[in-house]
């Protein structure tokens, strides 16, 4: 099965580029930028990655991102993630980045997006992986701050496909960002958002009804409300589910208690993703593998998950079809 998962063509639709920052690279970049970090070894860093909840993790995640200063840093971070994609037969990826984590520290929007975008372009050329970018607003900050970011993004619009909403969910409902989402969509960005990771079903309702999102990041707590589940199915929206993240942040007590199979059985369109692989103990293939083991998923289930990853990507229909054909022929020869 490990071999089947490794070769399975797939897309990754939910990952934060700052969450792919491996300790080894963090040390290297900190050193060349002469920034001290409060850890003296990779082992010490890894030992600090024990979380009780989302906020616990976010505190460490924002701290790690502080060593990113130059365009080359953002390039190295992104290219290093894309190399891992190539090893896992991730054919397409939709990368979230948090501009405010950097602009708040005086790093320009241009520095951030140029480094990320150049790495994506080189990975397309050298590794044959397609990517697109999702600019995420930090929900613990104000709507006004998100408006500033929207404005800063406009000169680089051609490189950005969608907007997202991430960071501390509880106490920061989607409705807080109604106006900036409307303005972003008016600029041509597609709306996406994290909802129902720690927040309840009412936050998912707000995200779909008030922010008009096209895909739900996480969405676990949608299961609290059967009417909401029906609505998500009727609107043909996918959930980008992140099993190892849910385990690490104690959204589920154990992978065996993960609702992914239940979601599939209810008729929800589910995809499997790594969220913040450097912090949660595994890349996307590890997520496929561990959830397969925990829930006894068949090859057909895994094929379904990979199919969803292309079908619910933001690619145009032609590109989707190319990847779906590749996936189908892989499945038919390896099932
Ligand atoms: N930022 C990075 N990872 C996140 C997650 N799992 N939830 C919310 N914000 C995040
Ligand atoms: Zn996330």
């Amino acid at each position: 099965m490990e071999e089947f998962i490794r070769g399975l063509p797939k897309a990754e639709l939910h990952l934060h580029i700052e969450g792919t920052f491996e300790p080894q690279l963090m040390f290297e970049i900190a050193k060349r930028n002469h920034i001290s970090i409060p850890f003296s070894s990779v082992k010490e860093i890894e030992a600090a990655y024990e979380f009780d909840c989302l906020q616990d993790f976010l505190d460490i995640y924002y701290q790690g991102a502080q060593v990113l200063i130059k365009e080359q840093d953002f390039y190295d971070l992104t290219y290093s993630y894309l190399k891992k994609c190539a090893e896992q037969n991730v054919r397409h990826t939709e990368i979230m980045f948090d501009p405010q984590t950097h602009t708040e520290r005086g790093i320009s929007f241009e520095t951030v997006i140029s480094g990320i975008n150049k790495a994506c372009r080189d990975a397309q050329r050298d590794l044959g992986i397609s990517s697109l970018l999702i600019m995420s607003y930090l929900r613990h900050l104000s709507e006004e701050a998100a408006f500033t970011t929207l404005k800063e993004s406009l000169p680089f619009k051609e490189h950005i496909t969608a907007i997202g909403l991430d960071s501390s969910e509880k106490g920061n409902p989607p409705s807080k960002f109604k106006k900036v989402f409307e303005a972003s969509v008016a600029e041509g960005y597609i709306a996406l958002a994290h909802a129902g990771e720690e927040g309840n079903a009412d936050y998912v309702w707000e995200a779909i009804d008030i922010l008009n999102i096209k895909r739900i990041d996480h969405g676990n707590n949608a299961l609290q409300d059967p009417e909401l589940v029906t609505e998500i199915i009727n609107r043909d929206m996918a959930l980008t589910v992140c099993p190892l993240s849910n385990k690490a942040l104690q959204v589920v007590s154990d992978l065996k208690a993960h609702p992914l199979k239940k979601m599939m059985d209810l008729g929800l369109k589910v995809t499997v993703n790594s969220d913040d692989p450097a912090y949660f103990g595994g890349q996307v293939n590890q997520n496929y593998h561990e959830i397969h083991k925990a829930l006894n998923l068949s090859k057909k289930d895994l094929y379904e998950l990979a199919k969803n990853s292309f079908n619910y990507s933001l690619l145009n229909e032609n590109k989707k079809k190319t990847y779906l054909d590749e996936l189908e022929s892989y499945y038919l020869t390896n099932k």
Side-chain angles (χ1 to χ4, degrees), residues 129-277:
I129 297 172
S130 57
S131 0
L132 52 82
L133 300 182
I134 304 165
M135 170 176 80
S136 292
Y137 300 125
L138 296 179
R139 68 201 304 158
H140 67 272
L141 300 179
S142 67
E143 185 177 51
E144 197 187 346
F147 264 111
T148 304
T149 300
L150 170 61
K151 201 164 155 218
E152 284 171 336
S153 78
L154 296 180
F156 309 98
K157 212 163 138 175
E158 62 177 310
H159 302 310
I160 302 167
T161 303
I163 50 156
L165 185 65
D166 61 4
S167 193
S168 324
E169 187 177 11
K170 281 185 180 164
N172 295 298
S175 50
K176 177 177 161 187
F177 296 92
K178 180 179 191 297
K179 290 199 190 79
V180 77
F181 265 63
E182 276 168 7
S184 304
V185 169
E187 291 292 351
Y189 296 138
I190 296 167
L192 312 172
H194 282 54
E197 180 185 19
E198 283 192 341
N200 286 328
D202 55 326
Y203 277 25
V204 183
W205 275 116
E206 282 195 11
I208 67 172
D209 277 348
I210 298 178
L211 301 187
N212 254 307
I213 60 168
K214 300 298 170 218
R215 196 166 73 201
I216 303 166
D217 290 321
H218 294 294
N220 299 44
N221 288 336
L223 296 187
Q224 293 169 346
D225 181 349
E227 219 176 288
L228 175 58
V229 170
T230 304
E231 190 62 26
I232 294 170
I233 294 168
N234 289 343
R235 293 194 200 189
D236 195 25
M237 297 172 77
L239 308 182
T240 63
V241 172
C242 308
L244 290 176
S245 162
N246 291 160
K247 187 175 134 196
L249 302 185
Q250 308 196 20
V251 169
V252 295
S253 55
D254 185 86
L255 279 189
K256 285 195 189 313
H258 197 284
L260 177 135
K261 184 73 170 89
K262 186 176 173 200
M263 289 168 166
M264 292 173 82
D265 292 344
L266 285 168
L268 286 163
K269 301 297 180 186
V270 179
T271 65
V272 169
N273 307 274
S274 68
D275 204 3
D276 302 283

Side-chain angles (χ1 to χ4, degrees), residues 95-129:
I95 299 177
M96 278 183 250
F97 68 111
D98 293 341
Q100 289 159 300
T101 300
H102 314 296
T103 52
E104 272 203 320
R105 303 180 284 119
I107 313 295
S108 75
F109 192 100
E110 181 172 13
T111 298
V112 178
I113 192 134
S114 300
I116 297 174
N117 182 53
K118 283 179 187 161
C120 292
R121 189 198 55 197
D122 289 356
Q124 171 79 74
R125 186 194 59 210
D126 300 339
L127 309 169
I129 297 172

Side-chain angles (χ1 to χ4, degrees), residues 282-301:
Q283 304 289 322
V284 65
N285 279 5
Q286 192 74 15
N287 276 272
Y288 272 83
H289 189 67
E290 294 205 19
I291 201 68
H292 139 72
K293 272 197 309 188
L295 304 180
N296 233 331
L297 300 182
S298 63
K299 280 189 175 175
K300 187 159 171 286
D301 293 327

